[in-house]
Amino acid sequence: MKATVSLARAGSYDGHELLERMRACLAPLGGMAAFVRPGQRVLLKPNLLGAFHPDRAVTTHPSVLAAAITLAQECGGVVTVIDSPGTGSLASVARATGIDAVVRAAGATLGDETAVETFETPGNIIGRKLTLLKAVADADVLITLPKLKTHVQMTFTGAVKNQLGLVPGVQKGQYHFRLQNRLRLAELLLDINRTAKPALAIMDAVYGMEGNGPSGGEPRFIGALIASADLMALDVAACDLVGIDSSVVPTVQAGIQHRFGTTALDHISIAGEPLDALRVQGFRTVAHLKHVMRILPFPQFMLDWFGRHWAPRPRIDAACCVHCGACHRGCPVDPPAIDPEMPPARQVNDHTCIRCYCCHEFCPAKAILLRRSLADRIGRFTASLDWLTTRIPGI
């Protein structure tokens, strides 16, 4: 049976209009009542990466959360909202993003991101035991509310990746340091989803982010809400909507390898608005080393060396830096590989930097630039790989 992904046109974040658009989006899936029963404890998981204004399109818009709360409460659900932001406390980020006001107005509860619990899932790939927010264990139903965005490390961030916010703050950085590989991080994301078991995803794609997301890109009007009980299918459809090749997205690659979710568009049934009716033209994606590297006749350790030495380097833009320290605090390396208080030539330690781009992700001022390496500028390695991808089928 095909996975169902539902699309609804949503032209603005107007509260009443968006509520009815979300209701229409969920109708082909059986409505919110198909996922929430009276008296159930419902955990809503928006994307609250950091203290960004909603207009920046970094975080799930408060109107999307408000609509989800209303629909869950209409079904008799008792709602808690949770996330573990990349920087800052949940309370401070919720205030800055407008989420706190929505939670208070709806009579819902803002969860405790400091309470954790260890979960054991025998079929996991990376971690049989995972420490996640305790709110997951306390909930009867988990509904995730991702934002459609590009991602400088993972190409695309959507429904599957949104559950990384269930990992307590400091541990996210530890995983970056431990794994240091996009596919391994993607496998971790599958593990988190297997453990947390989200029942439904409703994606905020009214405005998404193009360019160097998940925080340094630019808002882009898309005009859609997207929902599915199959999170991987939702991500595949969302990628197609904006012209991202889902086959280069690490979470989709991991899904194919480990048979997690629906990873092929022809195995997905689109309900509501057709994809062609909402398709976005000219959506700017992330420029990165494509996986054409796998055709090179070198062992994996050499490919890893190439990737490390040709990967873009973080650099601090002195004209934009506000010296908030978010990059320094968010770096998973110990000691941190980036420090804006150092002299310019020593602000980034290229030898210890693992190219996870957490600093770029967490910076509220767009002050972290991703500069091509000297080797790449001289050898034009990235340009050559990109040229090959357009001429070799199946890459």
Side-chain angles (χ1 to χ4, degrees):
M1 181 180 295
K2 289 187 174 183
T4 299
V5 175
S6 179
L7 276 75
R9 190 180 299 274
S12 77
Y13 286 117
D14 174 76
H16 177 73
E17 178 186 345
L18 193 69
L19 173 62
E20 295 311 309
R21 292 287 78 211
M22 187 176 291
R23 200 186 300 277
C25 188
L26 294 181
L29 307 178
M32 186 65 85
F35 303 94
V36 177
R37 297 192 301 273
Q40 283 191 318
R41 296 164 296 182
V42 180
L43 188 64
L44 298 183
K45 164 61 180 77
N47 182 327
L48 298 179
L49 174 62
F52 298 90
H53 190 276
D55 291 346
R56 294 273 299 275
V58 175
T59 56
T60 303
H61 197 279
S63 294
V64 172
L65 176 64
I69 292 175
T70 296
L71 294 180
Q73 290 177 334
E74 286 179 354
C75 296
V78 180
V79 176
T80 297
V81 176
I82 197 67
D83 196 9
S84 177
T87 57
S89 68
L90 176 58
S92 63
V93 170
R95 285 193 297 272
T97 56
I99 296 297
D100 183 63
V102 165
V103 171
R104 291 175 181 272
T109 301
L110 194 64
D112 180 3
E113 85 277 25
T114 66
V116 301
E117 186 158 320
T118 299
F119 298 78
E120 186 168 350
T121 308
N124 279 357
I125 309 158
I126 299 295
R128 180 171 176 171
K129 290 185 178 181
L130 291 173
T131 299
L132 303 177
L133 301 182
K134 186 176 182 295
V136 175
D138 295 338
D140 299 309
V141 183
L142 170 61
I143 298 174
T144 188
L145 306 173
K147 185 82 167 177
L148 192 160
K149 299 188 290 182
T150 54
H151 195 285
V152 291
Q153 185 185 28
M154 303 298 282
T155 304
F156 168 85
T157 176
V160 172
K161 191 178 182 302
N162 199 42
Q163 277 56 260
L164 185 61
L166 298 176
V167 175
V170 66
Q171 291 195 19
K172 286 192 282 290
Q174 292 171 355
Y175 278 122
H176 274 290
F177 185 74
R178 171 185 159 196
L179 301 175
Q180 298 190 27
N181 178 285
R182 297 195 313 157
L183 186 57
R184 297 294 280 170
L185 282 170
E187 290 173 335
L188 170 66
L189 290 168
L190 300 194
D191 285 353
I192 296 170
N193 278 272
R194 283 194 189 94
T195 301
K197 298 180 175 62
L200 172 67
I202 307 171
M203 176 176 280
D204 174 6
V206 181
Y207 279 84
M209 177 170 283
E210 63 179 357
N212 286 333
S215 64
E218 301 298 331
R220 176 68 184 270
F221 178 73
I222 299 169
L225 291 174
I226 316 173
S228 182
D230 185 326
L231 276 63
M232 189 67 74
L234 190 157
D235 282 349
V236 170
C239 284
D240 187 75
L241 182 67
V242 297
I244 293 175
D245 178 3
S246 62
S247 70
V248 305
V249 176
T251 49
V252 178
Q253 292 174 334
I256 293 170
Q257 182 176 343
H258 299 285
R259 299 183 179 181
F260 180 93
T262 305
T263 55
L265 192 62
D266 57 1
H267 293 162
I268 297 171
S269 175
I270 302 296
E273 293 277 354
L275 279 168
D276 285 343
L278 294 172
R279 200 177 304 281
V280 176
Q281 302 298 324
F283 189 85
R284 293 188 298 110
T285 58
V286 174
H288 61 84
L289 287 176
K290 295 183 177 155
H291 292 276
V292 69
M293 285 180 68
R294 67 176 182 258
I295 72 170
L296 298 178
F298 301 127
Q300 186 60 47
F301 79 90
M302 291 188 68
L303 297 181
D304 292 341
W305 185 91
F306 276 123
R308 179 175 177 79
H309 285 78
W310 264 276
R313 268 78 163 151
R315 291 293 183 264
I316 297 174
D317 184 345
C320 297
C321 180
V322 296
H323 297 273
C324 66
C327 57
H328 185 76
R329 294 191 302 272
C331 180
V333 178
D334 186 18
I338 187 167
D339 186 349
E341 303 309 319
M342 296 291 284
R346 297 172 55 197
Q347 287 178 334
V348 179
N349 186 331
D350 287 335
H351 297 290
T352 61
C353 174
I354 63 173
R355 317 295 192 267
C356 67
Y357 308 130
C358 286
C359 54
H360 180 275
E361 184 171 337
F362 297 152
C363 179
K366 293 188 179 182
I368 305 298
L369 307 177
L370 298 181
R371 292 272 176 82
R372 290 171 60 201
S373 67
L374 177 62
D376 190 24
R377 294 198 298 273
I378 294 173
R380 297 183 56 79
F381 188 59
T382 304
S384 300
L385 291 181
D386 287 345
W387 180 85
L388 281 172
T389 62
T390 65
R391 287 160 174 80
I392 301 179
I395 297 303

